[in-house]
Amino acid sequence: MVKIWLNCIICATILLDGGMETKTIQQYLLGYNQVEIVVNNECKTVEDIEKLNITLNKMLKDSRVMPAFGVSIHNETINAMQKGVWLRLSYDETKWVNGMNFDTLLINVEPKYSGFNIIRRNDGLYEGRCYYIDLANSTMQPLYDLINELQ
């Protein structure tokens, strides 16, 4: 009986994470296929990803995932992107973290914030629960400054 139960747990684990290495959301923030900045609804692809990754890595150094209170509603997210500074990270295939899937991650970059929601897009819609990152002893200021420099 124990052997059957163990096999069920192993099969369920393989099915849930696709049999692949489980990554944190912070790791996916550094492992995208394409990155764009959106400022007041104007979109630009980032070419200097090395500089961006260095900044993100420093910003995320002591970060921790916290329960997110945010839930995205597609039309409200699209309207919110009309103003402000956003970072959009896209992936070649659907990814899963904490039971939530995404093909794109969207972050509203507010320089004074010491944490941020990560909005998930899947199948073209920004819908559903968000992730939340607490930056601990940091703010989003370095990322905000870099985005202004890259424009």
Side-chain angles (χ1 to χ4, degrees):
M1 187 65 161
V2 171
K3 186 176 178 180
I4 293 171
W5 183 74
L6 257 160
N7 284 339
C8 289
I9 289 174
I10 291 168
C11 289
T13 302
I14 290 170
L15 288 172
L16 287 175
D17 74 1
M20 304 177 86
E21 175 186 351
T22 302
K23 291 185 177 182
T24 66
I25 194 64
Q26 291 100 318
Q27 289 171 311
Y28 279 116
L29 291 177
L30 297 167
Y32 45 82
N33 296 101
Q34 181 180 356
V35 62
E36 299 166 301
I37 53 176
V38 181
V39 178
N40 297 325
N41 208 31
E42 295 290 324
C43 183
K44 178 182 177 186
T45 300
V46 175
E47 302 297 331
D48 190 354
I49 60 170
E50 183 177 345
K51 205 171 197 179
L52 176 66
N53 280 344
I54 290 169
T55 301
L56 281 172
N57 199 30
K58 285 180 184 176
M59 187 177 83
L60 294 169
K61 183 177 181 273
D62 295 321
S63 70
R64 55 189 167 246
V65 177
M66 303 292 285
F69 296 113
V71 175
S72 177
I73 299 170
H74 182 74
N75 290 337
E76 289 184 23
T77 299
I78 296 300
N79 287 336
M81 290 175 64
Q82 303 292 316
K83 294 182 181 175
V85 177
W86 299 80
L87 185 67
R88 183 168 40 206
L89 309 169
S90 299
Y91 304 86
D92 285 345
E93 57 188 34
T94 300
K95 307 294 183 187
W96 290 83
V97 174
N98 296 336
M100 298 187 291
N101 59 336
F102 58 89
D103 54 35
T104 300
L105 297 174
L106 181 67
I107 301 166
N108 183 218
V109 181
E110 290 286 344
K112 304 296 181 214
Y113 285 10
S114 60
F116 56 92
N117 279 316
I118 304 171
I119 300 169
R120 302 175 303 118
R121 186 181 81 183
N122 197 47
D123 292 329
L125 296 174
Y126 294 107
E127 290 282 348
R129 292 179 15 214
C130 298
Y131 301 103
Y132 185 82
I133 300 289
D134 175 18
L135 295 175
N137 301 316
S138 185
T139 67
M140 298 183 84
Q141 187 71 53
L143 179 58
Y144 184 83
D145 293 342
L146 177 64
I147 287 173
N148 283 325
E149 178 186 318
L150 294 174
Q151 281 196 359

